[in-house]
Coordinates of all heavy atoms in Angstrom, one line a residue:
P113 N -1.4 3.0 17.0 CA -1.6 3.5 15.6 C -1.7 2.5 14.6 O -2.5 2.6 13.5 CB -0.4 4.4 15.3 CG 0.4 4.5 16.5 CD -0.2 3.5 17.5
A114 N -1.1 1.3 14.7 CA -1.1 0.3 13.7 C -2.2 -0.8 13.8 O -2.3 -1.6 12.9 CB 0.3 -0.3 13.7
R115 N -2.8 -0.8 15.1 CA -3.9 -1.8 15.3 C -4.9 -1.6 14.2 O -5.3 -0.5 14.0 CB -4.4 -1.7 16.7 CG -3.5 -2.0 17.8 CD -4.3 -2.0 19.1 NE -3.1 -2.0 20.2 CZ -3.2 -1.3 21.2 NH1 -4.2 -0.5 21.5 NH2 -2.2 -1.3 22.1
I116 N -5.4 -2.7 13.8 CA -6.6 -2.6 12.9 C -7.8 -2.7 13.7 O -7.9 -3.8 14.5 CB -6.5 -3.6 11.8 CG1 -5.3 -3.6 11.0 CG2 -7.8 -3.7 10.9 CD1 -5.1 -2.2 10.2
V117 N -8.8 -1.7 13.7 CA -9.9 -1.8 14.5 C -11.1 -1.9 13.6 O -11.3 -1.3 12.5 CB -10.0 -0.4 15.4 CG1 -8.7 -0.4 16.3 CG2 -10.0 0.8 14.6
P118 N -12.2 -2.5 14.1 CA -13.4 -2.7 13.5 C -14.5 -1.6 13.6 O -15.5 -1.6 14.3 CB -14.0 -4.0 14.1 CG -13.5 -3.9 15.5 CD -12.1 -3.3 15.5
F119 N -14.0 -0.6 12.9 CA -14.9 0.7 13.0 C -16.3 0.4 12.4 O -16.4 -0.6 11.7 CB -14.3 1.9 12.4 CG -14.9 3.2 12.6 CD1 -15.0 3.7 13.9 CD2 -15.2 4.0 11.6 CE1 -15.6 4.9 14.2 CE2 -15.7 5.3 11.7 CZ -16.0 5.8 13.0
S120 N -17.2 1.2 12.7 CA -18.7 1.0 12.2 C -18.8 1.0 10.6 O -19.6 0.3 10.1 CB -19.5 2.0 12.8 OG -19.1 3.3 12.5
T121 N -17.8 1.6 10.0 CA -17.8 1.6 8.5 C -16.9 0.7 7.9 O -16.8 0.6 6.6 CB -17.4 3.1 8.0 OG1 -16.1 3.5 8.6 CG2 -18.4 4.1 8.4
G122 N -16.2 -0.1 8.7 CA -15.2 -1.1 8.2 C -13.9 -1.0 8.9 O -13.7 -0.1 9.9
E123 N -13.0 -2.0 8.6 CA -11.7 -2.0 9.4 C -10.8 -0.9 8.9 O -10.7 -0.6 7.8 CB -11.0 -3.4 9.2 CG -11.9 -4.4 9.9 CD -11.1 -5.8 9.8 OE1 -10.2 -6.0 9.1 OE2 -11.5 -6.7 10.5
I124 N -10.2 -0.2 10.0 CA -9.3 0.9 9.8 C -8.2 0.8 10.6 O -8.3 0.3 11.8 CB -10.0 2.2 9.8 CG1 -10.7 2.5 11.2 CG2 -11.1 2.5 8.7 CD1 -11.2 3.9 11.4
P125 N -7.0 1.5 10.4 CA -5.9 1.5 11.4 C -6.2 2.4 12.5 O -7.0 3.5 12.4 CB -4.7 2.1 10.6 CG -5.1 2.6 9.4 CD -6.6 2.0 9.1
G126 N -5.7 2.3 13.7 CA -5.9 3.1 14.8 C -5.6 4.6 14.6 O -6.3 5.4 15.1
S127 N -4.5 4.7 13.8 CA -4.2 6.1 13.5 C -5.4 6.8 12.8 O -5.7 8.0 13.0 CB -2.9 6.4 12.7 OG -3.1 5.5 11.5

Side-chain angles (χ1 to χ4, degrees):
R115 288 183 201 143
I116 301 301
V117 296
F119 192 54
S120 55
T121 59
E123 293 189 343
I124 59 174
S127 59

